[in-house]
C-alpha cells in the first residue's frame, strides 16, 4: 500500500469513528436515588429560570413537548411532588490531534498551522499535499454541549429540596441544535428514574422509532 493510500485510510477511519457513532447514538449518564420511587406517574413541575437565554427558552419548550410525549404530568408548583430542573451543559473533552510537520493534511479550521489534521467531532475540510510528512499525535481538548436534567423532591424541608431523586445527562456534540434537541431529550427520558451509563440509540420520533 502506498503512503498516500495509508493516509487516506487513516482519515476515513478517524472520521468514521468520530461521525459514525455520533449520528446514531449519544453518550448518556443517568443516576437515581433508590430512596425515591420516581416513575412517569409522579407529578412534576418545571423550575423557573430568572433570566432565561433564548437557548434556555427553546429548551424549555422542547422539554414540555417531549415530557408530554412520554406521558409525564406537569402541574403547578403547589401540586407537584418533584421539581425538574434543566439546562444546557458546556464542557470540554480530551481529543487527539495528528500533526504533520512538512505538508500533509491541512485543516481550514486552523489556518495558522499549515499542516495539521484534527480528529474531533467538529470534523473539517482538509487539503492534501504530496510532500513527505512526519506525523505526531498530541492531545487536544474540544468543546461539548449536552442537556442535563435534575429532579428534586418537594419535601417541604430545606434539606429535602437539595436531595436529587434522579439526574440525567446526554451529550449532544459541539452544539445542541433546535433540530437535535427533541431527539436528545427523547433518548435521555427513556431512562427517567433509572440508572444507566453508556451510549444509547437515539430515539428520533415520538413513537419511539429510531
Amino acid at each position: 500500500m502506498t503512503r498516500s493510500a495509508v493516509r487516506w485510510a487513516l482519515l476515513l477511519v478517524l472520521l468514521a469513528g468520530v461521525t459514525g457513532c455520533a449520528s446514531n447514538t449519544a453518550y448518556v449518564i443517568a443516576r437515581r436515588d433508590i430512596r425515591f420511587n420516581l416513575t412517569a406517574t409522579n407529578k412534576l413541575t418545571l423550575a423557573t429560570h430568572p433570566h432565561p437565554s433564548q437557548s434556555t427558552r427553546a429548551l424549555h419548550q422542547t422539554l414540555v413537548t417531549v415530557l408530554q410525549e412520554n406521558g409525564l404530568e406537569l402541574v403547578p408548583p403547589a401540586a407537584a411532588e418533584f421539581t425538574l430542573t434543566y439546562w444546557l451543559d458546556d464542557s470540554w473533552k480530551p481529543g487527539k490531534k495528528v500533526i504533520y510537520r512538512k505538508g500533509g493534511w491541512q485543516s481550514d479550521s486552523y489556518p495558522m498551522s499549515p499542516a495539521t489534521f484534527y480528529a474531533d467531532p467538529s470534523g473539517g475540510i482538509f487539503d492534501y499535499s504530496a510532500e513527505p510528512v512526519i506525523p505526531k499525535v498530541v492531545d487536544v481538548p474540544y468543546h461539548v454541549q449536552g442537556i442535563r436534567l435534575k429532579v428534586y423532591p418537594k419535601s417541604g424541608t430545606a434539606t429535602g429540596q437539595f436531595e436529587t431523586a434522579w439526574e440525567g445527562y446526554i451529550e449532544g456534540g459541539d452544539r445542541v441544535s433546535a433540530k437535535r434537541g427533541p431527539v436528545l431529550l427523547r433518548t435521555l427520558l427513556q431512562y427517567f428514574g433509572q440508572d444507566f451509563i453508556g451510549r444509547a440509540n437515539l430515539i428520533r420520533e415520538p413513537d419511539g422509532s429510531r
Side-chain angles (χ1 to χ4, degrees), residues 59-163:
L59 177 60
H60 175 274
Q61 294 173 355
T62 304
L63 180 58
V64 169
T65 300
V66 176
L67 286 170
Q68 292 173 345
E69 290 174 0
N70 284 266
L72 293 163
E73 185 179 3
L74 291 175
V75 298
E81 299 171 274
F82 295 90
T83 298
L84 173 60
T85 63
Y86 56 94
W87 66 93
L88 294 173
D89 186 291
D90 292 282
S91 60
W92 293 85
K93 293 188 66 174
K96 296 295 182 181
K97 173 183 177 181
V98 183
I99 300 177
Y100 294 90
R101 296 181 181 177
K102 296 181 180 180
W105 305 105
Q106 180 177 349
S107 169
D108 65 349
S109 301
Y110 297 85
M112 297 304 293
S113 181
T116 61
F117 168 69
Y118 263 76
D120 65 18
S122 63
I125 300 174
F126 303 91
D127 297 327
Y128 174 70
S129 171
E131 298 179 19
V133 296
I134 302 175
K136 180 181 179 181
V137 180
V138 298
D139 294 326
V140 60
Y142 61 90
H143 175 257
V144 175
Q145 188 174 73
I147 299 175
R148 190 175 297 276
L149 306 177
K150 280 193 176 186
V151 178
Y152 299 97
K154 295 277 291 184
S155 65
T157 65
T159 56
Q161 290 178 355
F162 292 97
E163 294 174 332

